[in-house]
């Protein structure tokens, strides 16, 4: 009769050691030194913005001759910079109010369109089984490394010449004029945003519990109902993170707006800010108020969605 061998018991993982290390790390992060370092970094990070705000309320001669910190020894406040930048009627002044409206008209659809399309695509790649799904996901992931500048000329050709195959016209030229050029800017921003948006939302959706999906299918729910009633409420942090990224990218964009927007009728604030200092750069005092006006709306959006930001970024990054 063959002798039986018994497998020795596996040694338990020394969790107290790991807990001790985690505790030491946590204490270091909440120590007085870490708190002081965080405060110093926060002060250094916000000081330029505070100086920009103070300078925007100072007279032109004070801005050009003294530093912003002199405001506290000889305070003098004026709203002329904001009035010139927002409502000035001459070509030398800002007239930034109309460009602010253009920025909002460009940014809001350029955020909503890629979010909607990416949400559907991410759900399909995460929870629908179809032939070639993995290859599609690899292609989407690979598109993230393609520089935006490489797509500008082909996209311009697509708008101006359409799509032709041999002698057959598959899609005619767009031939958009005036305010219709907003459509070109929306289309370009949507195309450039989709790879990253799909990647981030897919990582979040793929971490949702499969048992939840199976239970919904057993109850008779189709993919549309699962997506609407189960997935969407659970991916709000990821959607908020992608929305913040896309909003800041589109709001601060200059290249795409110059390439596809064209005229002042569809140009955003960044186009006007680039020429706000004048042809010779002598009117740079307007840049203080102009830059701060351009910062206000992104700050409001970020502060409104910041509670979802970290959760959305970390979602799907760690398994187990």
């Amino acid at each position: 009769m063959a002798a039986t061998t018994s497998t020795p018991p596996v040694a338990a993982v020394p969790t107290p050691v790991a807990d001790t290390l985690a505790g030491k790390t946590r204490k270091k992060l909440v120590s007085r030194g870490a708190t002081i370092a965080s405060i110093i970094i926060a002060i250094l990070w916000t000081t330029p913005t505070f100086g920009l705000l103070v300078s925007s309320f100072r007279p032109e001669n004070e801005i050009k001759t003294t530093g912003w910190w002199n405001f506290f020894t000889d305070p003098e406040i004026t709203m002329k910079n904001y009035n010139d930048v927002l409502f000035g009627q001459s070509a030398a002044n800002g007239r930034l109010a109309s460009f602010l409206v253009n920025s909002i008209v460009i940014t809001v659809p350029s955020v909503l369109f890629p979010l909607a399309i990416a949400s559907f695509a991410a759900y399909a790649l995460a929870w629908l089984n179809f032939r070639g799904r993995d290859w599609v996901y690899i292609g989407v992931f690979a598109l993230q490394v393609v520089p935006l500048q490489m797509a500008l000329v082909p996209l311009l050709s697509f708008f101006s010449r359409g799509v032709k195959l041999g002698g057959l016209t598959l899609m005619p030229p767009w031939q958009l004029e005036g305010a219709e050029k907003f459509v070109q800017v929306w289309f370009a921003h949507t195309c450039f945003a989709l790879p990253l948006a799909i990647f981030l939302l897919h990582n979040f959706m793929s971490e949702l519990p499969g048992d939840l999906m199976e239970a919904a299918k057993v109850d008779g729910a189709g993919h549309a109902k699962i997506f609407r009633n189960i997935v969407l409420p659970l991916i709000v942090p990821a959607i908020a993170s992608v929305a913040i990224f896309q909003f800041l990218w589109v709001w601060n964009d200059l290249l795409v707006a110059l390439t596809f927007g064209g005229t002042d009728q569809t140009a955003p604030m960044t186009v006007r800010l680039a020429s706000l200092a004048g042809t010779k750069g002598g009117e740079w005092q307007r840049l203080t108020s102009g830059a701060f006006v351009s910062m206000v709306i992104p700050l409001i959006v970020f502060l409104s969605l910041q509670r979802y930001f970290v959760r959305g970024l970390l979602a799907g990054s760690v398994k187990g």
Side-chain angles (χ1 to χ4, degrees), residues 53-104:
L53 175 62
V54 171
S55 297
S56 66
F57 291 103
R58 303 182 72 209
E60 176 183 349
N61 62 323
E62 295 291 331
I63 294 175
K64 292 184 175 180
T65 56
T66 60
W68 62 267
W69 49 86
N70 291 283
F71 171 82
F72 300 102
T73 57
D74 185 19
E76 188 174 354
I77 297 176
T78 179
M79 296 298 295
K80 185 176 184 302
N81 294 329
Y82 283 96
N83 184 66
D84 289 345
V85 164
L86 290 172
F87 309 110
Q89 296 301 316
S90 66
N93 287 329
R95 294 180 296 176
L96 209 61
S98 60
F99 293 91
L100 175 63
V101 175
N102 287 348
S103 289
I104 296 174

Side-chain angles (χ1 to χ4, degrees), residues 103-223:
S103 289
I104 296 174
V105 172
I106 289 174
T107 304
V108 173
S110 297
V111 172
L112 296 180
F113 290 158
L115 275 180
I117 298 173
S119 298
F120 290 123
Y123 177 82
L125 291 173
W127 294 106
L128 296 184
N129 292 320
F130 57 90
R131 188 183 298 250
R133 183 183 68 172
D134 295 338
W135 288 106
V136 173
Y137 179 73
I138 292 173
V140 170
F141 180 80
L143 284 174
Q144 297 181 66
V145 302
V146 178
L148 179 151
Q149 293 81 359
M150 290 182 61
L152 294 180
V153 174
L155 201 54
L156 272 176
S157 177
F158 171 75
F159 290 141
S160 60
R161 301 178 184 178
V163 179
K164 296 182 179 180
L165 183 61
L168 181 63
T169 300
L170 301 179
M171 183 176 292
W174 289 36
Q175 296 178 348
L176 302 178
E177 299 293 338
E180 295 175 343
K181 285 186 174 290
F182 280 126
V183 178
Q184 294 185 170
V185 183
W186 297 339
F187 186 88
H189 279 303
T190 300
C191 292
F192 297 144
L194 281 177
L196 180 60
I198 294 174
F199 175 73
L200 292 177
L201 293 179
H202 171 271
N203 285 353
F204 198 104
M205 289 187 189
S206 61
E207 290 298 307
L208 297 178
D211 294 340
L212 187 62
M213 306 298 178
E214 293 298 329
K217 291 179 182 179
V218 170
D219 290 339
H223 287 294

